[in-house]
Amino acid sequence: MKKFTLLSLVLVLTLGMFAQMNNRAVTTQKFQKKEKADWVQRYDNKADADQALKAYGDIYFEDDFSTGSVGNMPTGWTTVDVDDAGNDFVWEWTTTGTTGQYGSAPFESTSAANGWLMLDSDGYGQGSYDALVSSPTYDLTGKPYVAVKFEEYYRRWGNEATNPYGGIPTYLGVVINGVDTTEIELHSDFEVSDGTANPENVMVNVSLVAGNEANVQFYFRIKGLWDYWWHIDDFKLIEGAGNDLEIKETYALSVYQFGTQGFNWFGYYSQLP
């Protein structure tokens, strides 16, 4: 009799547990470290970017480009057009924006009032370019986790039929000791006439190539032919995530509902720390 009573109690508790699960979904997530193609994170508004940054640490270096002036790059920054055509289409410091026929709206970066960097492709017009704007050199010794954060406003035309570079490639470059270079493409998923928000906040985790390095330089590079524009402002080097994980796959499991005598699927959510 005691055995029967105990078995009945276990059965009742088990049924009660399933009844409580009627409105729950059981999920599992598959986490993995980000690969190079996933180093770039984009946020269409500042609130989302600020929320994401709460998981990050100190600001190591920052530059709002306030030391630039018309005809002069901000302190420590240089620009060059390495395209063989010799058009010398380079980056410039500005407070006014583009000059071409299809000019952009005013850049709405956080510190736009004191200037930003711009490649005014539409203003230059016909002609190819491979334009780089390079940062000063930074000492990141003792800083194993590093992310680059900046605000941008970019629009692509991307006439592959005539562009010698096959579209409008855009890169963040990382140079170690003036020699070893890694380039991360920033807008590889953009189609013709696609553009970013104004501004768009971008973070790129460069820990694998820049962490703990004593001589690090960064550059922005765009290779094109009579495109639209690219604006950059509020450049920061911040403490990145030590374990930068993302949810690659999410599985939702069905729960048996006794009232309906069948399995039902429920919604689920996921969250990155």
Side-chain angles (χ1 to χ4, degrees):
M1 181 66 179
K2 288 183 179 179
K3 290 183 178 180
F4 178 76
T5 302
L6 180 59
L7 180 61
S8 299
L9 178 59
V10 171
L11 181 60
V12 169
L13 290 175
T14 303
L15 291 173
M17 178 184 69
F18 275 101
Q20 291 179 8
M21 290 177 61
N22 274 350
N23 293 317
R24 296 182 186 177
V26 181
T27 64
T28 61
Q29 284 93 25
K30 180 179 178 181
F31 289 86
Q32 67 183 51
K33 285 194 173 183
K34 292 185 175 181
E35 299 179 358
K36 180 180 175 183
D38 300 316
W39 290 359
V40 182
Q41 296 173 273
R42 299 184 169 281
Y43 303 93
D44 289 345
N45 61 71
K46 190 174 186 301
D48 289 344
D50 290 343
Q51 181 67 28
L53 279 173
K54 289 181 180 179
Y56 290 78
D58 295 337
I59 296 175
Y60 296 143
F61 303 97
E62 59 183 323
D63 198 333
D64 64 1
F65 305 135
S66 60
T67 59
S69 60
V70 176
N72 297 287
M73 298 297 288
T75 302
W77 290 79
T78 58
T79 182
V80 63
D81 181 2
V82 298
D83 182 71
D84 291 337
N87 292 314
D88 200 28
F89 292 171
V90 294
W91 290 75
E92 59 187 299
W93 179 93
T94 183
T95 57
T96 57
T98 57
T99 60
Q101 179 181 358
Y102 302 98
S104 69
F107 191 19
E108 298 176 4
S109 63
T110 300
S111 66
N114 59 29
W116 66 89
L117 303 182
M118 173 184 68
L119 194 288
D120 185 9
S121 179
D122 187 48
Y124 282 130
Q126 183 72 338
S128 62
Y129 54 86
D130 184 357
L132 289 79
V133 57
S134 301
S135 75
T137 299
Y138 302 100
D139 183 357
L140 298 176
T141 303
K143 300 173 175 61
Y145 308 118
V146 183
V148 176
K149 181 184 181 297
F150 58 94
E151 296 179 29
E152 71 168 351
Y153 183 26
Y154 167 79
R155 188 180 180 193
R156 175 188 179 189
W157 171 238
N159 188 349
E160 284 84 352
T162 57
N163 187 348
Y165 300 109
I168 306 296
T170 54
Y171 305 95
L172 172 69
V174 185
V175 184
I176 308 299
N177 298 320
V179 178
D180 299 324
T181 301
T182 300
E183 288 191 333
I184 303 108
E185 192 165 358
L186 297 177
H187 305 99
S188 59
D189 57 332
F190 279 43
E191 303 293 338
V192 173
S193 291
D194 280 353
T196 68
N198 180 16
E200 183 148 282
N201 290 264
V202 183
M203 279 195 297
V204 185
N205 191 332
V206 294
S207 301
L208 292 179
V209 291
N212 275 324
E213 294 290 343
N215 188 320
V216 187
Q217 191 175 28
F218 300 90
Y219 63 78
F220 295 98
R221 181 180 190 179
I222 179 169
K223 303 161 70 173
L225 174 70
W226 200 353
D227 209 60
Y228 284 112
W229 59 78
W230 195 10
H231 306 279
I232 301 286
D233 201 3
D234 298 306
F235 176 87
K236 293 182 175 75
L237 299 181
I238 65 175
E239 183 179 9
N243 293 286
D244 196 1
L245 303 178
E246 68 176 346
I247 299 174
K248 297 293 287 188
E249 299 177 48
T250 301
Y251 308 91
L253 302 182
S254 62
V255 176
Y256 189 83
Q257 289 189 298
F258 289 94
T260 60
Q261 297 297 312
F263 284 91
N264 283 328
W265 293 94
F266 298 93
Y268 58 89
Y269 70 93
S270 61
Q271 180 178 348
L272 291 177

